[in-house]
Amino acid sequence: MVALTVLAGPPLIAQQPQSIQRYAGGTATFTVTAYGSMPISYQWSLNGTPISGATSSAYTLTDVRAGEAGDYSVVITNPTATPTPMQP
C-alpha cells in the first residue's frame, strides 16, 4: 500500500533566476523554478516596475536593446503565501 499526502504551503524556490549578459539584438531569457500549492503566480518587473504580460516562470526578451538593461525581478505568490520576490 502507498499513501498520498497533500501539502499546502507557500512557494518554494528550487532554482533562482540568474543574471545574464547579451549583445544587442540577441535573446535573453530569465527563468525561475518554484513549487508549492497551486496555482502559483509570477510577476516579472524591470527596475521595480511590473512588466505587462510577464506572468510566467520565464521571461524572454528578443532583439534586446540597451534600454532593456536593468534590474529584473520576479514576485512569486500562491493562495497560501505572501509575495516572494526574487532578483537575478
Side-chain angles (χ1 to χ4, degrees), residues 5-35:
T5 303
V6 178
L7 305 173
L12 302 173
I13 309 304
Q15 181 180 359
Q16 296 184 17
Q18 301 295 311
S19 293
I20 53 179
Q21 297 177 356
R22 293 293 182 267
Y23 287 106
T27 299
T29 301
F30 296 102
T31 59
V32 63
T33 303
Y35 299 97

Side-chain angles (χ1 to χ4, degrees), residues 37-83:
S37 297
M38 299 303 271
I40 295 176
S41 300
Y42 304 86
Q43 178 59 65
W44 290 91
S45 297
L46 171 58
N47 298 323
T49 301
I51 302 167
S52 179
T55 56
S56 69
S57 61
Y59 179 63
T60 299
L61 296 158
T62 56
D63 191 23
V64 295
R65 294 167 275 134
E68 294 172 308
D71 294 321
Y72 287 82
S73 59
V74 60
V75 173
I76 304 167
T77 59
N78 72 2
T80 65
T82 56

